[in-house]
Amino acid sequence: MAQIAGRFRRVEPRASARAYLLGLLSQAERKNCWQLAEQAGHVRPGPMQRLLRYARWDADAVRDDIRTYAVDHLGTDDGVLIVDETGFLKKGRASAGVQRQYTGTAGRTENSQVGVFLAYATSRGRALIDRRLYLPEQSWCTDPERRQAAGIPETVRFATKPRLAWEMIAATLDAGVEAGWVTGDEAYGQDPQLRAALEARGTGYVLAVACSTRVRINHGRTPIRADTLAERLPATAWQRQSAGPGAKGPRYYDWAWIHIGVDEHRHLLIRRNRTSGELAFYLCWSPTTATLPELVRVAGVRWSVEECFQAAKSQVGLDHYQVRHWTSWHRHITLAMLALVFLAAVAADAAPKRPADPHRSARSSEPISLTVPEIRHLLTAVFGQPALTAARLLRWSIWRRRHQATARHSHYRRRTCWIDHETTLEY
């Protein structure tokens, strides 16, 4: 709260914001204004509703504080910015930006709002640091009455999702955040304007693209489809690389990279699943010479944003809101992002200075590091239960994390043995 206290002019909304954040970090089943007011001991939800709708405070300024807080606690030299979107399923048509549209949350077209988010990921942790509500062009931008009812400012105009992503990236870089790479899925990799803007800014990218993407190789005049190019690669072009640690060990894939364009800083990166043979393609550019392991690392970091969405929705109620107004949406989302980055910062500060080796002996008594869900669970005990109960929960947490460390060691060892056996068969 000390990080954002100066954004509130009056003590009442400041106190409501603190209660709201504690509610987001609590064990409340649904984290809407009604449930959070009950959690805070209020008779009615009025203070929480006023905080989101009428109280005088700037959610964008708090967003800037979140970005600073994330960099201070998670920042390292290997920072990567990740753009992605997530859906919020809704009923009715009054909520700002809602319409029937495809959302990955449901895996199909549903009545929903779509938010475009920017995540910041390093070796110390990851967190959401910016957000934009996508406003459909036909159903919202050209309907003044509907815009007015939802409180959408007149200055807000239609912007594609890649354009919203670039606005967040540019604002983050302008704020002095050191991030050498940007990554995202096909919705952003297919946009040439986003790629051109990143190159003009001197920021490297590893962006997923469709298999039908055409590229030029060897200064050829005729572009070739990416999947056709992958079929022509010899067996020696593929290298096994890890895209980062997973729940059951390193995420190994076969990777190939090909110079495209006229310089050595532009590549087509291809990932092949060793079991199914499924291919994924990435357009890559870097201001300086990059290695294959570096491009693979950035491509693997992209999944961090999915972990952020899962943690934000399951732990701090990112999608639990029951608001329709433009301002209310941004305020709830911003406070949920603050709760999430707080948990990520605590996890980073509690982690051992030297990363634990997953290949250590299973007899080691060192438990795995505290996770975001575990920290929230323990914080709830500290704020809401007697000290004796909190101490008991902490002992239980240490015992459980020791057993999780043993299980992880077994997964890593089994996977390493399987990979070594597969390599032997190949040779």
Side-chain angles (χ1 to χ4, degrees):
M1 278 304 300
Q3 189 80 14
I4 66 168
R7 304 301 184 181
F8 300 90
R9 298 182 181 181
R10 295 176 57 85
V11 67
E12 293 85 356
R14 188 184 306 128
S16 295
R18 182 181 186 277
Y20 202 95
L21 284 170
L22 285 175
L24 294 178
L25 293 168
S26 71
Q27 298 281 11
E29 183 177 356
R30 296 294 299 175
K31 295 169 182 178
N32 53 50
C33 286
W34 289 84
Q35 296 287 338
L36 297 183
E38 181 180 357
Q39 182 74 23
H42 297 166
V43 178
R44 296 180 180 180
M48 301 302 186
Q49 293 172 341
R50 284 193 296 272
L51 175 71
L52 296 186
R53 178 70 182 274
Y54 301 108
R56 298 182 64 181
W57 61 282
D58 189 348
D60 287 343
V62 174
R63 181 270 321 271
D64 295 342
D65 293 335
I66 292 172
R67 181 173 57 211
T68 301
Y69 186 79
V71 173
D72 289 345
H73 288 267
L74 306 179
T76 61
D77 295 335
D78 60 355
V80 177
L81 299 177
I82 315 166
V83 291
D84 202 359
E85 62 196 62
T86 188
F88 303 91
L89 302 182
K90 303 294 290 183
K91 295 181 180 179
R93 61 186 304 273
S95 300
V98 70
Q99 73 166 13
R100 286 190 60 80
Q101 53 191 327
Y102 178 82
T103 170
T105 302
R108 59 183 182 273
T109 299
E110 287 285 353
N111 196 61
S112 62
Q113 296 170 296
V114 172
V116 181
F117 287 81
L118 182 68
Y120 177 65
T122 71
S123 56
R124 284 178 55 82
R126 72 271 309 177
L128 302 174
I129 60 172
D130 206 347
R131 73 286 180 266
R132 295 288 193 279
L133 179 60
Y134 173 68
L135 198 64
E137 182 176 16
Q138 298 299 326
S139 60
W140 278 94
C141 291
T142 59
D143 191 335
E145 294 182 2
R146 200 177 187 192
R147 289 172 59 106
Q148 184 178 7
I152 300 172
E154 295 182 359
T155 56
V156 176
R157 295 289 182 263
F158 172 73
T160 63
K161 295 170 185 175
R163 176 63 187 179
L164 295 175
W166 168 244
E167 291 177 359
M168 293 188 291
I169 294 169
T172 300
L173 297 177
D174 289 341
V177 177
E178 295 183 2
W181 294 96
V182 171
T183 185
D185 63 16
E186 292 182 16
Y188 306 93
Q190 295 290 134
D191 189 88
Q193 295 180 349
L194 176 59
R195 300 198 305 268
L198 289 169
E199 293 179 20
R201 189 67 186 252
T203 302
Y205 60 76
V206 178
L207 295 169
V209 293
C211 63
S212 58
T213 300
R214 294 180 176 272
V215 297
R216 288 184 172 88
I217 61 172
N218 299 327
H219 307 283
R221 295 183 178 180
T222 304
I224 305 174
R225 280 177 58 111
D227 52 358
T228 302
L229 188 58
E231 294 174 356
R232 298 177 181 178
L233 291 176
T236 55
W238 297 94
Q239 301 181 40
R240 178 180 298 150
Q241 297 280 343
S242 172
K248 298 184 178 180
R251 294 177 290 143
Y252 282 107
Y253 295 92
D254 287 338
W255 299 84
W257 62 331
I258 305 152
H259 290 292
I260 59 177
V262 296
D263 56 56
E264 296 184 354
H265 305 304
R266 199 177 303 275
H267 297 85
L268 174 68
L269 179 66
I270 308 174
R271 185 194 73 196
R272 183 177 67 187
N273 188 298
R274 296 185 59 82
T275 303
S276 65
E278 180 183 3
L279 300 177
F281 303 88
Y282 305 84
L283 287 181
C284 309
W285 180 85
S286 59
T288 58
T289 303
T291 63
L292 176 59
E294 179 69 0
L295 297 181
V296 169
R297 180 188 73 84
V298 177
V301 166
R302 187 178 73 84
W303 295 105
S304 297
V305 71
E306 301 293 345
E307 297 174 355
C308 286
F309 288 148
Q310 181 181 6
K313 291 181 177 182
S314 63
Q315 301 299 320
V316 296
L318 185 75
D319 59 342
H320 291 188
Y321 60 88
Q322 294 179 343
V323 297
R324 298 176 176 178
H325 200 268
W326 173 272
T327 300
S328 301
W329 186 89
H330 283 85
R331 288 182 171 184
H332 169 83
I333 296 297
T334 302
L335 292 174
M337 288 167 48
L338 177 57
L340 180 65
V341 74
F342 166 71
L343 293 175
V346 173
D349 293 342
K353 300 301 181 182
R354 184 176 60 184
D357 183 2
H359 303 286
R360 289 183 60 182
S361 170
R363 293 188 297 270
S364 173
S365 60
E366 181 180 352
I368 66 171
S369 300
L370 285 165
T371 61
V372 165
E374 188 75 6
I375 290 172
R376 188 183 69 86
H377 180 67
L378 293 173
L379 281 174
T380 301
V382 170
F383 280 100
Q385 299 184 26
L388 181 61
T389 304
R392 186 181 300 114
L393 287 175
L394 181 58
R395 289 195 297 270
W396 171 253
S397 171
I398 295 173
W399 180 87
R400 180 171 60 249
R401 289 186 289 116
R402 283 175 177 167
H403 282 263
Q404 288 172 337
T406 302
R408 185 177 65 176
H409 168 81
S410 300
H411 285 308
Y412 270 65
R413 182 174 58 183
R414 186 181 304 111
R415 187 166 182 82
T416 301
C417 293
W418 175 80
I419 292 172
D420 291 343
H421 176 68
E422 188 180 38
T423 304
T424 302
L425 291 178
E426 288 179 355
Y427 281 110

